[in-house]
Amino acid sequence: MSHSNISIFVPHKGCPNDCSFCNQRHITGIHYAPHASDVIDAVKAATTSNKYNPQTTEIAFFGGSFTAINRNYMIELLRTAHAFVQNGIVSGIRISTRPDAINTEILTILKEFGVTAIELGAQSLNDRVLKLKNGRIILPLAKHTIYDNDEELHKGELCFFYSDDDGYTWSKTAQELKTPFPNDKIGFQEPGLYELPDGKIWCYIRTLLGYQYECYSEDNGETWSTPEPNVFFSSPASPMSVKNFKDLTVAIFNPIPEHILRDDDAEFWGRTPYVMAVRKNDETAFTQEKLFYLEDDLNNGYCYPATIEGEDYLLVAYYHSNNTDCCLNSTKIIKIMYEELK
């Protein structure tokens, strides 16, 4: 069944930041803040369309930070939209907002006014883009060039872009890094970055070589050491995520590489089980003693973690096969208390 939105933009009203990739005034060209009459006009216009179906149509408040706008203004828009839900003219209300603008009070209001879907624009969960303490932003990339027949990609090559003006302009470092093995099928993929306490930058890299590879920069990302395997992070071809959590560094990954004795590779690409390694920020190495299972059911697969830090907890979201044959089937979110890890 198809789905359609009656889209109403509330351009960049609730967000305190002005990021170039998200600024709705720049993206949509809309500067006017809508009110109740605009919601009514938008619904009236939508109902005249030949494709209009009240059972599959939602009123959608877009703009990125709906629950962070002025509370009375938000309720004005919701109350107007809710009347159309109650009258059966639309099936529900959809909003987009920030993860840090959602709490129990907000959810109660949204439920009261018939909100049926919440889109969380969690741009900051991607730790693969790193902002250094000195303000520089570094973006690690795996570059796959295309073969002439446009059907296959060359092996991934590691490269870096950086910005010193908060993302408005970007420069590419001269260095590109490749795997030295001619039979390596995928090369370097899905690199991530982490700034160590001494200012050195750690780059960790997905490979098909049995381990996460790593390299380091000591000059703010200008140059990098030769990538080498980190033997602690044995891994299939699956991305790892490293996050700072208070005085801890946590790494989330699949710990068992693909090999001929595994019988689950076809279903989950080797992405099972799922673990978290923990160390103090002032420690230099991870150890087996601080390795925790997130998922130990080998009949399911898990990958692509994202994390967000709370006051005394860490939320970890990741793909979960959910008893199907694809580990990208669904998403699971777990809450880990700081006291459990320290």
Side-chain angles (χ1 to χ4, degrees):
M1 183 180 292
S2 63
H3 168 267
S4 62
N5 291 324
I6 301 174
S7 300
I8 299 166
F9 283 90
V10 186
H12 216 74
K13 281 289 184 181
C15 183
N17 302 312
D18 194 30
C19 303
S20 58
F21 62 84
C22 183
N23 190 313
Q24 296 299 308
R25 294 187 298 270
H26 298 163
I27 295 171
T28 66
I30 298 173
H31 296 260
Y32 170 74
H35 290 279
S37 59
D38 300 292
V39 177
I40 295 171
D41 291 343
V43 173
K44 287 182 178 179
T47 57
T48 63
S49 169
N50 293 331
K51 297 181 180 180
Y52 164 70
N53 181 346
Q55 296 180 341
T56 61
T57 300
E58 291 178 321
I59 297 174
F61 293 106
F62 292 136
S65 304
F66 184 75
T67 58
I69 64 178
N70 176 274
R71 184 65 51 82
N72 292 332
Y73 176 41
M74 181 184 76
I75 291 176
E76 173 197 346
L77 297 175
L78 287 175
R79 180 178 288 114
T80 305
H82 189 216
F84 292 107
V85 177
Q86 293 176 311
N87 294 333
I89 296 174
V90 297
S91 63
I93 301 170
R94 176 179 297 265
I95 63 113
S96 65
T97 192
R98 302 164 53 89
D100 56 0
I102 287 288
N103 54 39
T104 302
E105 179 189 4
I106 288 291
L107 290 174
T108 300
I109 294 173
L110 298 181
K111 182 178 180 180
E112 176 185 352
F113 287 103
V115 172
T116 48
I118 302 172
E119 299 179 5
L120 290 180
Q123 293 90 351
S124 62
L125 288 181
N126 186 353
D127 291 338
R128 299 178 189 282
V129 180
L130 178 66
K131 189 168 188 177
L132 302 179
K133 295 182 179 69
N134 64 13
R136 169 172 285 188
I137 301 173
I138 303 181
L139 175 64
L141 296 175
K143 183 182 75 173
H144 291 268
T145 54
I146 302 175
Y147 283 102
D148 292 337
N149 60 13
D150 290 339
E151 294 180 357
E152 296 184 54
L153 299 177
H154 283 280
K155 295 185 295 186
E157 301 175 3
L158 187 61
C159 59
F160 301 88
F161 286 78
Y162 64 91
S163 172
D164 291 320
D165 55 10
D166 204 29
Y168 283 93
T169 61
W170 292 86
S171 301
K172 182 178 180 294
T173 61
Q175 196 175 13
E176 291 190 359
L177 304 172
K178 307 176 183 180
T179 59
F181 307 108
N183 294 328
D184 178 15
K185 295 180 180 179
I186 66 171
F188 290 144
Q189 293 186 333
E190 298 181 308
L193 298 174
Y194 186 79
E195 186 173 14
L196 300 170
D198 62 1
K200 185 185 296 184
I201 306 171
W202 173 30
C203 178
Y204 48 93
I205 314 156
R206 162 184 164 170
T207 75
L208 195 57
L209 302 172
Y211 300 95
Q212 296 282 328
Y213 270 50
E214 65 182 5
C215 57
Y216 294 89
S217 174
E218 298 184 5
D219 55 7
N220 298 317
E222 299 283 350
T223 60
W224 295 85
S225 63
T226 301
E228 299 178 346
N230 185 318
V231 295
F232 182 84
F233 294 112
S234 56
S235 177
S238 184
M240 182 169 74
S241 178
V242 181
K243 174 77 173 181
N244 177 258
F245 178 35
K246 298 188 180 298
D247 61 340
L248 303 175
T249 299
V250 300
I252 303 169
F253 66 107
N254 302 109
I256 303 177
E258 296 177 74
H259 53 71
I260 60 173
L261 298 180
R262 296 200 70 167
D263 59 6
D264 54 13
D265 290 353
E267 292 187 350
F268 310 127
W269 308 305
R271 296 173 178 176
T272 187
Y274 218 27
V275 299
M276 173 185 285
V278 181
R279 76 181 185 196
K280 291 285 189 180
N281 285 340
D282 57 0
E283 295 175 338
T284 58
F286 292 93
T287 65
Q288 295 287 338
E289 289 72 22
K290 281 289 188 177
L291 194 63
F292 302 91
Y293 274 110
L294 301 182
E295 300 282 355
D296 60 1
D297 179 5
L298 301 185
N299 294 314
N300 278 293
Y302 324 92
C303 56
Y304 289 101
T307 56
I308 187 168
E309 181 179 348
E311 183 176 353
D312 58 352
Y313 62 87
L314 192 67
L315 295 180
V316 183
Y318 48 89
Y319 281 128
H320 189 299
S321 60
N322 195 24
N323 299 313
T324 69
D325 59 0
C326 178
C327 60
L328 306 180
N329 174 266
S330 60
T331 300
K332 182 176 180 179
I333 302 175
I334 61 174
K335 184 177 183 179
I336 303 173
M337 304 305 296
Y338 173 75
E339 292 294 325
E340 298 179 71
L341 301 177
K342 70 176 186 177

